[in-house]
Amino acid sequence: MEEKLYQSVCKVIYWLTIVLAYVLTIVVSINVASRYIFGVSIFWSEEITRFLFIWCSCLGIVLLNDKGELMQLGLLITYLNKRFAQIAIQLFANTVCLLLSILLLVGGIVISIESMSWASPILGVPNGVVYCIVPFCCAILIWQFIRRYAKIFMRSEENA
Amino acid sequence: MLGVFLGGLLASIALTIPIAFALLLTAILMMIASGQPIVPQIIAQNVVKGLDNFPMLAIPFFMFAGEIMNKGGITNRIVRFTQSLMGHIRGGTGYVSVMTAMLFAGVSGAAVADTTAVGSVLLPIMERDGYEKTDSTALICSAGCIGPIIPPSIPMILYGVTAGVSIVKLFLGGIVPGLMVGLGLMVLWFFKVRKKNYRKFKKASLKEVWKAFRSAIWAILLPVIIMGSIIFGIATPTEAAVVAVIYALFVSGVIYKELKVSYLPGILIDGIKTTAGIMFVVGTATATAYMLTITQIPELLSNTLLSISNNPYVIILMVNFLLLIVGCVMDATPTVLILTPVLLPIIESIGLSPIHFGVLLTINICIGLLTPPVGVVLYTGCSLSKITMDSLVKSIWPYIIVMIVVLLLVSYFPGIIMLLPNLLSR
């Protein structure tokens, strides 16, 4: 049940990222074309582009973490022979990531709520709406790190 | 405080914590050590500030353009054209690799993309023609590292934003060193292959060269359009990146008819994921940079280094040495984001131009991509040609020496780097 829900959420995030990336590319392209062909910039383009870029980046982080592809050094794990030590390091790293994600979730909720009253100058979108992607993605990261505990233990049992 | 910064960062990276989280943890450890309260919203605010960075938008677009080139048949045509020019020389496919990598560097801006594009096309050809696998992989990996030196360049965009210097000037500064590295690799290859009996291609007639040129002209024009529009002030780097995407889509889809619509989601998601990995580090590095500024670590390091010597030549040597060592254990993005705020005050105190330093930093990073244990281009090469890391490392060191020679030349003769920025940029 939980697995099914997780896969569905990941699928939604995957397609949402693709749609946003399409929109981002189209908006910036139209703006560049309009500037050089008609000599006029689309006034709302820069603002929406910034928002889309923040959203795409945050969703991309979730997709990367789903596959364990965040930039990291795996040297110690590779060179450590003792299985127990390998598991201990993986558990430690996962716990640190989990705690930091919780910290970012809390901070993200606070800045999203605080910035709901500031609207962007052109589109009038509250900054809190833009920033709410941060706590949303942190919540998914937390979910991913919790799931990873199970994976670490399962892998250790398979290797035993 | 310096110990907390270095110790915290190195220990957490060594403990396999992803680099973005390692930076965040270091910032928190520095907050604790300096007696400041840990306020989640200050940390989150700094991360968001790092993510909300308009000039960085060029990164996904250059990624998209590189991917479209690769999947849309553009790389193949560049290879065919350079092959018609140099394929008949002894070891010609090696020269073709370097020239293709330099042309591809004019679009992609990332070493892994450059190595993958050139290697996936040329390594099977080199293997078929009897080239030693380790040697050809070493050459292609080193040629791929020209990617970030010749503009556009993702490390230069990152440095430009972090240091607050002109990305256009950095791009211009990278052109001559990039060409020097390419030329150096070809000279080394010449000496390596002169006694080898590798299979050569039949010398192409003028008609065949013309045909290959006509087929590749749309692809060759792409780097010209990107750099031309940036140099002549027609477009910003971000706009030029968008133009590159539109142009690459048009050429691959309409002219060459090799790019299918079904490829686009994959291209977009790959580009966004790579960018997201970089932006996450940018975001958390902003939080660390905030703590670095508060605790005055750059000034502390600067004073320590200047107390050893205040001779600019010695300082440049020490900085290069430090960057080479760091490059062995750290990837390009964190190296730029962590070391720029730390080293820039030292560089400025000895009167070196930040543009000059930005290009030096990029070359150092590219050398780092080829050095074990953390050389991502080495891993790319190994997975492309299915050879072991040990054998590739043994073959790659002469190419690394060539790059170090170029690095030293451009370090001590700043005119090589500054020539084009001074000449062309207003």
Side-chain angles (χ1 to χ4, degrees):
Chain A
M1 177 69 185
E2 186 267 348
E3 174 69 25
K4 218 172 175 181
L5 180 66
Y6 177 75
Q7 293 306 336
S8 312
V9 170
C10 281
K11 214 169 199 173
V12 170
I13 291 175
Y14 178 87
W15 285 106
L16 180 63
T17 311
I18 290 176
V19 171
L20 293 180
Y22 266 118
V23 178
L24 178 70
T25 312
I26 291 166
V27 169
V28 183
S29 306
I30 291 175
N31 188 39
V32 171
S34 151
R35 170 121 38 104
Y36 293 106
I37 298 169
F38 306 111
V40 194
S41 280
I42 303 170
F43 64 97
W44 45 263
S45 153
E46 187 174 328
E47 215 166 74
I48 202 160
T49 304
R50 268 183 41 228
F51 298 162
L52 285 170
F53 187 46
I54 295 175
W55 275 60
C56 281
S57 299
C58 289
L59 294 172
I61 293 165
V62 171
L63 293 175
L64 274 177
N65 196 44
D66 175 51
K67 302 267 183 267
E69 290 171 347
L70 285 176
M71 263 183 244
Q72 69 183 117
L73 291 187
L75 282 178
L76 206 59
I77 293 284
T78 317
Y79 291 118
L80 265 179
N81 288 326
K82 288 191 177 144
R83 213 180 69 243
F84 173 75
Q86 282 186 353
I87 296 168
I89 288 175
Q90 283 176 1
L91 286 175
F92 175 74
N94 201 52
T95 308
V96 170
C97 293
L98 176 66
L99 293 174
L100 290 173
S101 301
I102 294 170
L103 189 86
L104 277 180
L105 170 75
V106 175
I109 291 172
V110 175
I111 61 164
S112 299
I113 293 169
E114 280 179 355
S115 55
M116 273 297 176
S117 50
W118 308 340
S120 66
I122 296 166
L123 295 170
V125 176
N127 280 339
V129 173
V130 180
Y131 295 158
C132 71
I133 193 67
V134 177
F136 170 76
C137 288
C138 286
I140 308 284
L141 287 177
I142 291 167
W143 191 2
Q144 289 172 334
F145 288 122
I146 292 171
R147 285 169 55 86
R148 201 159 293 162
Y149 282 115
K151 274 189 190 165
I152 295 169
F153 284 119
M154 263 159 55
R155 224 177 294 149
S156 73
E157 277 171 17
E158 279 168 18
N159 294 339
Chain B
M1 190 53 69
L2 187 60
V4 176
F5 167 64
L6 288 176
L9 187 64
L10 293 178
S12 45
I13 289 175
L15 287 167
T16 71
I17 295 172
I19 290 164
F21 284 110
L23 282 162
L24 208 54
L25 180 63
T26 309
I28 290 167
L29 291 176
M30 286 164 76
M31 278 180 178
I32 295 168
S34 60
Q36 291 196 35
I38 302 168
V39 186
Q41 58 264 46
I42 291 182
I43 297 166
Q45 211 149 33
N46 274 292
V47 174
V48 171
K49 196 173 132 199
L51 291 173
D52 191 358
N53 221 323
F54 191 74
M56 297 286 192
L57 193 59
I59 296 174
F61 288 120
F62 281 126
M63 294 276 176
F64 296 158
E67 279 286 307
I68 295 167
M69 268 185 86
N70 212 10
K71 291 194 171 143
I74 297 181
T75 313
N76 283 328
R77 283 170 175 83
I78 294 179
V79 168
R80 255 178 262 153
F81 169 60
T82 49
Q83 222 163 29
S84 74
L85 289 177
M86 309 197 80
H88 60 282
I89 306 169
R90 189 189 297 274
T93 318
Y95 303 113
V96 170
S97 315
V98 180
M99 283 184 66
T100 309
M102 288 202 288
L103 278 168
F104 197 87
V107 181
S108 89
V112 173
D114 208 353
T115 310
T116 312
V118 180
S120 56
V121 178
L122 283 167
L123 275 171
I125 298 175
M126 292 176 95
E127 195 181 347
R128 183 198 66 198
D129 293 347
Y131 287 79
E132 276 169 32
K133 220 172 173 182
T134 50
D135 228 15
S136 41
T137 312
L139 176 73
I140 284 175
C141 287
S142 336
C145 286
I146 300 172
I149 307 175
I150 289 181
S153 161
I154 288 163
M156 283 182 193
I157 296 172
L158 289 171
Y159 171 82
V161 172
T162 315
V165 299
S166 157
I167 294 170
V168 177
K169 285 187 178 176
L170 287 165
F171 279 6
L172 287 169
I175 295 176
V176 179
L179 297 176
M180 284 169 71
V181 172
L183 193 68
L185 295 178
M186 286 202 253
V187 171
L188 175 65
W189 185 249
F190 168 79
F191 285 107
K192 276 186 159 267
V193 296
R194 65 186 167 154
K195 285 184 185 147
K196 306 263 168 91
N197 199 21
Y198 292 145
R199 194 184 129 191
K200 295 183 236 174
F201 286 90
K202 190 172 99 354
K203 188 173 180 184
S205 65
L206 265 179
K207 200 177 158 192
E208 284 167 329
V209 174
W210 174 243
K211 197 179 160 197
F213 175 71
R214 263 181 43 199
S215 161
I217 181 68
W218 296 101
I220 295 166
L221 273 177
L222 189 47
V224 178
I225 289 171
I226 293 176
M227 272 325 286
S229 58
I230 294 174
I231 290 170
F232 295 109
I234 300 167
T236 63
T238 308
E239 290 168 343
V242 176
V243 173
V245 172
I246 300 170
Y247 183 84
L249 275 173
F250 178 74
V251 173
S252 315
V254 180
I255 298 176
Y256 295 156
K257 295 187 174 65
E258 286 194 27
L259 188 79
K260 293 179 185 153
V261 179
S262 59
Y263 294 168
L264 290 179
I267 289 172
L268 287 175
I269 212 78
D270 284 350
I272 289 292
K273 274 167 78 177
T274 312
T275 310
I278 295 172
M279 291 310 295
F280 195 21
V281 178
V282 171
T284 53
T286 309
T288 315
Y290 167 77
M291 281 314 295
L292 280 175
T293 314
I294 285 183
T295 51
Q296 297 183 321
I297 284 181
E299 289 81 358
L300 189 72
L301 254 177
S302 171
N303 292 339
T304 313
L305 214 60
L306 290 171
S307 69
I308 300 169
S309 169
N310 53 11
N311 181 331
Y313 293 102
V314 179
I315 300 277
I316 292 173
L317 192 70
M318 286 196 290
V319 167
N320 276 330
F321 185 69
L322 173 75
L323 288 170
L324 286 175
I325 299 291
V326 172
C328 291
V329 291
M330 216 188 278
D331 199 12
T333 305
T335 306
V336 178
L337 295 170
I338 295 166
L339 290 183
T340 300
V342 175
L343 293 177
L344 200 62
I346 302 171
I347 293 303
E348 284 174 333
S349 72
I350 59 166
L352 198 75
S353 153
I355 302 290
H356 183 197
F357 175 63
V359 179
L360 293 186
L361 177 68
T362 306
I363 302 173
N364 272 296
I365 283 168
C366 291
I367 298 172
L369 295 172
L370 290 173
T371 48
V374 188
V376 281
V377 171
L378 283 182
Y379 293 107
T380 309
C382 287
S383 78
L384 282 172
S385 61
K386 309 276 180 288
I387 56 173
T388 62
M389 180 64 100
D390 291 353
S391 59
L392 183 55
V393 169
K394 276 180 203 153
S395 293
I396 209 143
W397 65 265
Y399 300 96
I400 293 177
I401 291 176
V402 167
M403 293 179 82
I404 290 176
V405 170
V406 174
L407 172 69
L408 291 175
L409 276 172
V410 296
S411 294
Y412 291 113
F413 298 97
I416 300 173
I417 288 174
M418 297 308 292
L419 177 76
L420 289 179
N422 290 340
L423 205 68
L424 294 171
S425 186
R426 277 162 288 171

